Amino acid sequence: MALGVVAHLSQELGPRASGTEQERKAAQYLVSQLEQFGYSAWLQEFTVTTLSPSTSSLTLESPDALSVGVAPLSRSSTGEVKGRLVPAGLARPDELPAEGLAGNIALVERGLITFQEKVNRLAEAGAVGAVIYNNAPGNFRGTLREAGAIPVVSISQEDGARIQELVAAGTVEAVLTVNQEVHPSQNVIAEKPGGPDAIGVVVLGAHYDTVPDVPGANDNASGTAVLLTLAEQLQNQPLPFTVRFIGFGSEELGLRGSRHYLDSLSEQQRRDIIAMLNFDSLGSGESLGVLGDSELVGRLVEIGKEKGIEVRSSSALRGGSSDHASFQRLGIPAVMFVSRDSSRIHTSDDTLEHVNARLLGDAVRLALGLLESGEPLAGKSP
Ligand SMILES: [Zn+2]
């Protein structure tokens, strides 16, 4: 069952970027699966704002008009800026012009230091925009760690070389524009009610969107498959709490789905959530990790020992920021299930053949063990 879900999402549907038609198709697939297991599932809709490569642009105005293909860096600021294009190496401290960059658009190379460090330094020196050219053929998609203070785009290595020649030959004025678009996105929600004596709600969640142009077998068809398998297996299982299954949309844009979900709840509804288990990128490599609430993590490690499942609980595991973080922020005990190998995440190699079916089964058995044992979930009841 679980691998079939990974195959459907990563191969038949393929890339399902946040806020796209493909993401919506994936959501509808989740609804149909949940309905097959006897749940009534619904779409919780919201909108996301994304930067638009197709309407963002870099236009050289002199010596000749020339339009260059750009990709805005995620979290770039938006708007139109004009200025002289000025090269600044890799944007290391000694590479900026002594007179600063006031009113200029900086042209820098990718590499050695983070995009954030480059952009912070350029903005502090007065640059009104930044153009980062690739250090390998073609263009790339970059991400800033924090919201950028100026518009920032990437261009191909080839265009970078061409513009540098023009800049070396004389003054080049340019207009840099970064635009955004609004798109619909959605969460998929289904519930197994816990009866009149229910002690609260346990949320099981996994995001089903991907970054653009990747199959997303591990990130996160793997977690989505575990979520659906749990829904199937818990269908007729009496439990002392309500279980809410949520497929989150637009996680890759910054946990948008989980944030929207929590924002949509009343204070009381938030207090009713006794725990959140998040399944993200848990299908690659040889062992499973659990991160988060120390009591729940401790219990999961014990359950792993009882069932002969290797579980790591190192806080050094990658992937600390996923939808569980939205719940943690509100003080809701949360755990993330994630595997150790994150090497193919956000690449075109994140494909079905690199997904280890055993890890999916391990995650299902561990989560079932925790849900069935009652403790310490019951202890989290408000
Ligand atoms: Zn993910």
Side-chain angles (χ1 to χ4, degrees):
M1 143 90 197
L3 264 195
V5 173
V6 177
H8 185 87
L9 288 170
S10 65
Q11 296 186 329
E12 278 171 60
L13 286 171
R16 28 197 199 287
S18 321
T20 62
E21 189 54 37
Q22 284 302 103
E23 187 198 46
R24 188 160 189 95
K25 282 189 187 153
Q28 283 158 348
Y29 166 71
L30 264 61
V31 168
S32 72
Q33 290 286 297
L34 289 162
E35 285 176 345
Q36 247 178 53
F37 307 145
Y39 297 94
S40 66
W42 61 285
L43 295 183
Q44 180 186 41
E45 293 173 328
F46 55 95
T47 57
V48 291
T49 306
T50 57
L51 298 174
S52 162
S54 60
T55 66
S56 297
S57 60
L58 174 66
T59 308
L60 277 48
E61 298 203 311
S62 60
D64 297 309
L66 174 69
S67 178
V68 178
V70 300
L73 265 69
S74 298
R75 305 198 178 95
S76 160
S77 77
T78 56
E80 180 184 287
V81 294
K82 289 181 195 201
R84 191 158 64 87
L85 271 171
V86 176
L90 289 147
R92 288 174 293 183
D94 56 350
E95 292 172 308
L96 268 54
E99 65 275 21
L101 287 164
N104 299 148
I105 297 173
L107 175 69
V108 298
E109 188 180 5
R110 179 189 191 185
L112 280 181
I113 56 174
T114 64
F115 299 132
Q116 191 74 45
E117 187 178 342
K118 291 178 199 281
V119 170
N120 287 353
R121 187 165 297 125
L122 298 170
E124 272 162 32
V128 294
V131 176
I132 303 177
Y133 60 92
N134 204 352
N135 53 5
N139 201 350
F140 67 97
R141 285 175 190 273
T143 297
L144 295 172
R145 241 183 307 112
E146 305 149 25
I150 53 177
V152 185
V153 298
S154 64
I155 63 173
S156 70
Q157 186 178 40
E158 298 78 2
D159 284 333
R162 201 159 138 213
I163 296 173
Q164 274 192 309
E165 276 175 33
L166 294 173
V167 168
T171 298
V172 179
E173 297 286 339
V175 179
L176 173 62
T177 310
V178 173
N179 282 325
Q180 54 187 19
E181 293 170 345
V182 178
H183 296 280
S185 183
Q186 59 284 309
N187 295 322
V188 181
I189 305 180
E191 189 165 285
K192 174 183 142 45
D197 298 326
I199 57 170
V201 179
V202 174
V203 171
L204 307 185
H207 78 86
Y208 62 90
D209 63 315
T210 64
V211 296
D213 307 326
V214 308
N218 185 32
D219 183 16
N220 185 29
S222 68
T224 308
V226 167
L227 180 72
L228 290 177
T229 306
L230 286 168
E232 185 182 30
Q233 301 210 359
L234 288 168
Q235 201 182 340
N236 299 310
Q237 176 95 344
L239 288 171
F241 39 75
T242 292
V243 182
R244 196 169 294 150
F245 305 94
I246 311 183
F248 292 111
S250 294
E251 186 268 355
E252 299 289 3
L253 289 180
L255 319 183
R256 304 285 184 90
S258 51
R259 289 194 177 170
H260 176 82
Y261 170 70
L262 287 163
D263 286 347
S264 75
L265 300 182
S266 68
E267 194 61 31
Q268 183 57 49
Q269 286 170 323
R270 278 181 225 163
R271 269 202 299 270
D272 285 343
I273 302 175
I274 55 180
M276 192 272 181
L277 307 185
N278 183 36
F279 305 94
D280 194 353
S281 307
L282 48 73
S284 184
E286 291 303 321
S287 68
L288 203 61
V290 287
L291 298 171
D293 179 83
S294 58
E295 236 185 313
L296 296 177
V297 163
R299 184 70 190 114
L300 284 164
V301 171
E302 277 171 29
I303 293 168
K305 279 188 194 132
E306 287 160 25
K307 295 182 185 278
I309 302 169
E310 192 196 344
V311 190
R312 294 167 186 269
S313 60
S314 159
S315 59
L317 279 169
R318 186 203 170 275
S321 103
S322 171
D323 292 307
H324 61 285
S326 304
F327 290 76
Q328 257 170 351
R329 259 176 18 149
L330 300 178
I332 297 167
V335 174
M336 180 194 194
F337 291 65
V338 60
S339 62
R340 201 171 171 76
D341 176 17
S342 59
S343 59
R344 295 179 195 84
I345 285 178
H346 298 183
T347 75
S348 53
D349 290 333
D350 184 5
T351 51
L352 179 65
E353 57 267 32
H354 299 296
V355 170
N356 179 347
R358 177 177 57 79
L359 294 180
L360 275 54
D362 286 353
V364 169
R365 286 161 64 213
L366 276 177
L368 283 178
L370 181 68
L371 294 167
E372 285 162 1
S373 76
E375 288 295 333
L377 285 173
K380 306 279 186 199
S381 150

